[in-house]
């Protein structure tokens, strides 16, 4: 009987060596430790053995059972380790593979130019003031010295948001960044109404007009406007500031000239031309052979506008200007159609 137990152990251990996976291991467990395994048969027949053989056989049978159970646990652990190693091998990351390139975005050319302009004025002490896109007629026109039915409104066909029952004060999309002048002055003046602080601001933003869209006009475009209000500000301050701006924007040798013009909210008013940066003033198709490019409108703030902003025109004076980043880009890069700016065509946008 002891020899049978030796055989049982030997056969079971050598069978276990052949086991390669979990299902084979389970089959082995049933065959060698299960209810109908030969080892269990020995336990079943212990009672029928002679009394003096029983203890030795029982001890040996228990020993075989413990060894087989220990071998089973060990094999199960080996299989688990082997599976782990296999999956580590199979799922290993190859860090030497080149990565997928990320598509990098960029700022819209108008935004880039707006920021460049704002940056230059920031260096001169102007702070950016963001004003709302939706305005009332009062702020967009009346307080800027465009009374109702003023002919200058004809130049700014408007997109109305709400006109019903609002009489002379409908709500519209701002046609220029200028209403921000009134909002800024009133905000500054409210801080100290008797002694309003000086104003130095740049107002960038989108403007909207009811235009026929074609190569030269769009119904939306950007402006960067500026306003300086304080005591003893003169027209020469305006000229000095804008001439300096032109040099920082277009190069130290940029020459400018001022031409008399008309805007309802400035008096006197002037347009500023910069010497054509395409031909250097010799005359070309971009400057239409004049040698000059018009880049901005400007003027001394109208006394009525100062008053409406809360600044006493007897004591304060100021100047303002406005320019279009898209127009400057069109001139600089000879872009012949303004519709490219809002057409969302990456072939255009990725060139900047
Ligand atoms: Zn030119």
């Amino acid at each position: 009987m002891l020899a049978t137990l030796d055989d049982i152990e030997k056969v079971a251990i050598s069978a276990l060596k052949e086991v390669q996976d979990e299902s084979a291991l389970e089959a082995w467990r049933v065959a060698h430790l299960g209810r109908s395994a030969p080892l269990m048969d020995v336990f079943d027949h212990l009672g029928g053995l002679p009394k003096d053989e029983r203890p030795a056989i029982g001890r040996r049978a228990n020993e075989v059972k413990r060894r087989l159970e220990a071998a089973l646990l060990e094999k199960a652990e080996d299989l688990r380790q082997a599976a782990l190693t296999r999956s580590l091998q199979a799922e290993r990351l190859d860090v030497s593979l080149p990565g997928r390139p990320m598509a990098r975005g960029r700022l819209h050319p108008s935004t880039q130019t707006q920021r460049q302009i704002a940056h230059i004025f920031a260096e001169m002490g102007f702070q950016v003031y963001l004003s709302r896109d939706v305005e009332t007629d009062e702020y967009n026109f009346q307080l800027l010295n465009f009374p109702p039915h003023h002919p200058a409104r004809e130049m700014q066909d408007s997109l109305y948001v709400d006109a019903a029952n609002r009489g002379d004060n409908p709500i519209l999309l701002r046609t220029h960044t200028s209403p921000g002048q009134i909002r800024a002055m009133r905000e500054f003046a409210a801080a100290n109404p008797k002694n309003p602080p000086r104003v130095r601001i740049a107002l960038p933003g989108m403007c909207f007009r009811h235009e026929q869209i074609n190569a030269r006009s769009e119904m939306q475009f950007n402006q960067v406007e500026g306003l300086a209000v304080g005591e003893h500000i003169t027209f020469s301050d305006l000229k000095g500031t804008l001439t300096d701006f032109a040099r920082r924007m277009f190069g130290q040798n940029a020459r400018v000239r001022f031409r008399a013009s008309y805007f309802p909210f400035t008096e006197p008013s002037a347009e500023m031309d910069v010497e054509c940066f395409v031909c250097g003033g010799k005359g070309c198709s971009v400057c239409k052979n004049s040698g000059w490019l018009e880049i901005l409108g400007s003027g001394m703030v109208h006394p009525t506008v100062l008053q409406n902003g809360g600044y006493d025109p007897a004591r304060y004076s100021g100047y303002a200007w406005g320019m279009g980043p898209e127009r400057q880009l069109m001139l600089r890069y000879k872009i012949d159609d303004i519709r490219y700016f809002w057409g969302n065509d990456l072939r255009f946008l990725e060139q900047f």
Side-chain angles (χ1 to χ4, degrees):
M1 198 50 136
L2 283 171
T4 310
L5 280 167
D6 288 347
D7 279 349
I8 287 173
E9 183 180 0
K10 213 180 288 171
V11 167
I13 292 295
S14 76
L16 188 59
K17 284 193 180 123
E18 306 299 316
V19 167
Q20 297 291 343
D21 57 40
E22 303 230 339
S23 63
L25 186 64
E26 176 60 11
W28 180 90
R29 189 192 66 77
V30 170
H32 300 281
L33 287 166
R35 203 171 300 153
S36 44
L39 180 62
M40 297 306 144
D41 204 40
V42 174
F43 281 109
D44 287 346
H45 292 94
L46 269 183
L49 292 174
K51 233 178 187 173
D52 55 336
E53 285 182 27
R54 233 182 276 163
I57 302 290
R59 214 170 21 249
R60 175 69 182 131
N62 272 319
E63 187 186 50
V64 171
K65 185 167 179 252
R66 272 198 309 277
R67 283 190 184 169
L68 294 188
E69 283 169 348
L72 172 72
L73 285 177
E74 198 180 325
K75 186 73 182 181
E77 180 58 25
D78 285 352
L79 288 177
R80 206 166 25 247
Q81 286 296 337
L84 185 63
T85 308
R86 263 200 313 280
S87 79
L88 282 176
Q89 291 282 345
E91 292 159 24
R92 188 175 51 184
L93 280 180
D94 183 351
V95 292
S96 68
L97 271 178
R100 293 188 187 88
M102 294 246 280
R104 285 186 69 193
R106 68 191 75 202
L107 292 174
H108 190 281
S110 295
T111 308
Q112 290 179 28
T113 308
Q114 264 190 95
R115 291 193 180 181
Q116 190 186 358
I117 295 168
H119 181 75
I120 291 172
F121 283 110
E123 287 178 340
M124 296 194 241
F126 289 80
Q127 98 187 67
V128 169
Y129 185 96
L130 295 176
S131 190
R132 59 194 70 185
D133 288 1
V134 182
E135 273 295 359
T136 60
D137 187 277
E138 184 187 16
Y139 276 88
N140 194 76
F141 289 124
Q142 296 165 34
L143 295 171
L144 291 163
N145 206 27
F146 292 72
H149 314 298
H150 190 286
R153 289 186 181 215
E154 296 285 314
M155 297 188 291
Q156 301 189 11
D157 266 350
S158 310
L159 292 161
Y160 289 95
V161 177
D162 183 9
N165 305 320
R166 291 190 57 90
D168 280 341
N169 196 25
I171 295 173
L172 69 161
L173 299 181
R174 66 175 174 191
T175 58
H176 48 180
T177 43
S178 309
Q181 292 189 16
I182 299 287
R183 295 204 175 270
M185 279 193 284
R186 287 189 168 184
E187 190 181 312
F188 281 54
N192 190 355
K194 288 214 170 67
N195 217 4
R198 62 179 209 154
V199 179
R200 300 282 188 276
I201 52 166
L203 300 145
M206 188 74 86
C207 306
F208 310 86
R209 292 185 193 175
H210 188 239
E211 299 268 5
Q212 182 79 40
I213 297 174
N214 56 42
R216 302 196 63 80
S217 52
E218 249 288 5
M219 56 191 297
Q220 59 179 45
F221 55 91
N222 283 293
Q223 274 189 350
V224 183
E225 178 143 341
L227 174 69
V229 176
E231 292 178 270
H232 314 300
I233 290 183
T234 66
F235 196 82
S236 54
D237 295 314
L238 178 159
K239 287 181 77 174
T241 304
L242 295 179
T243 302
D244 190 28
F245 162 77
R247 291 194 183 127
R248 293 179 193 228
M249 187 77 187
F250 303 108
Q252 279 306 310
N253 298 320
R255 294 205 303 153
V256 297
R257 71 175 184 188
F258 288 84
R259 284 179 293 105
S261 184
Y262 169 78
F263 303 106
F265 40 97
T266 47
E267 179 60 37
S269 305
E271 296 194 45
M272 188 176 89
D273 296 340
V274 63
E275 195 171 46
C276 179
F277 38 71
V278 178
C279 64
K282 289 188 201 74
C284 68
S285 62
V286 176
C287 61
K288 301 198 185 75
N289 286 314
S290 70
W292 296 95
L293 298 168
E294 178 205 322
I295 58 160
L296 61 84
S298 63
M300 299 304 289
V301 182
H302 195 286
T304 303
V305 175
L306 285 173
Q307 189 84 59
N308 290 339
Y311 285 77
D312 178 3
R315 181 178 158 200
Y316 291 92
S317 55
Y319 60 89
W321 74 89
M323 64 183 91
E326 285 95 34
R327 176 167 165 74
Q328 291 186 12
L329 280 163
M330 290 176 80
L331 293 171
R332 180 176 285 185
Y333 297 109
K334 299 185 189 174
I335 298 164
D336 55 9
D337 194 327
I338 197 171
R339 288 172 293 191
Y340 285 128
F341 286 98
W342 316 120
N344 260 346
D345 188 336
L346 289 178
R347 289 171 302 179
F348 172 74
L349 296 173
E350 283 179 345
Q351 295 177 52
F352 298 94

